[in-house]
Amino acid sequence: MKRISILFVCMGNICRSPLAEGIFGHLVAEAGLTGDFTIDSAGTGGWHEGEPPDRRSIATAKSHGIDISGQRARCIQPLHNCILNRHRFKDAIMQQFKVLQRPLRV
């Protein structure tokens, strides 16, 4: 199967999107599907570029056994426009995560 690329986006890439990237990466690894996904995050603005995630996001992730402290904020790039094909994205995710029909454990 073709590798699926997922980009989580929020405004500055220091709060929500790094946390989403970390949680999703954790679930993918837990399901043994790491080789099937490329997971990343970015912000719509570049004012936090190079900064680590917000300390509260790091603490929230850490309290669930997920380390996002190594991530660095960056601005979304033109190459990411492939994420706009929502129907294809939804179908691909549903296909890959049929195995994850259980509650989220983070």
Side-chain angles (χ1 to χ4, degrees):
M1 180 176 242
K2 187 176 178 182
R3 191 173 178 92
I4 298 169
S5 295
I6 297 179
L7 179 67
F8 293 97
V9 179
C10 70
M11 202 163 168
N13 194 218
I14 61 167
C15 295
R16 296 166 298 244
S17 56
L19 196 51
E21 177 188 349
I23 292 168
F24 193 76
H26 174 80
L27 293 173
V28 166
E30 213 176 51
L33 299 171
T34 305
D36 295 337
F37 289 92
T38 299
I39 306 164
D40 205 351
S41 64
T44 57
W47 53 90
H48 291 295
E49 262 186 282
E51 294 179 21
D54 182 87
R55 62 178 171 74
R56 294 164 293 187
S57 292
I58 292 172
T60 298
K62 187 176 181 178
S63 73
H64 294 285
I66 301 169
D67 181 16
I68 64 168
S69 62
Q71 295 182 28
R72 293 296 175 264
R74 62 194 189 87
C75 188
I76 193 167
Q77 300 296 314
L79 290 176
H80 294 132
N81 67 10
C82 62
I83 65 169
L84 299 177
N85 188 340
R86 290 186 229 158
H87 298 294
R88 190 167 158 215
F89 169 77
K90 180 182 173 190
D91 292 345
I93 294 303
M94 296 308 289
Q95 181 74 26
Q96 286 295 316
F97 278 91
K98 285 180 183 176
V99 76
L100 290 178
Q101 296 178 353
R102 58 176 169 37
L104 180 65
R105 291 184 299 145
V106 290

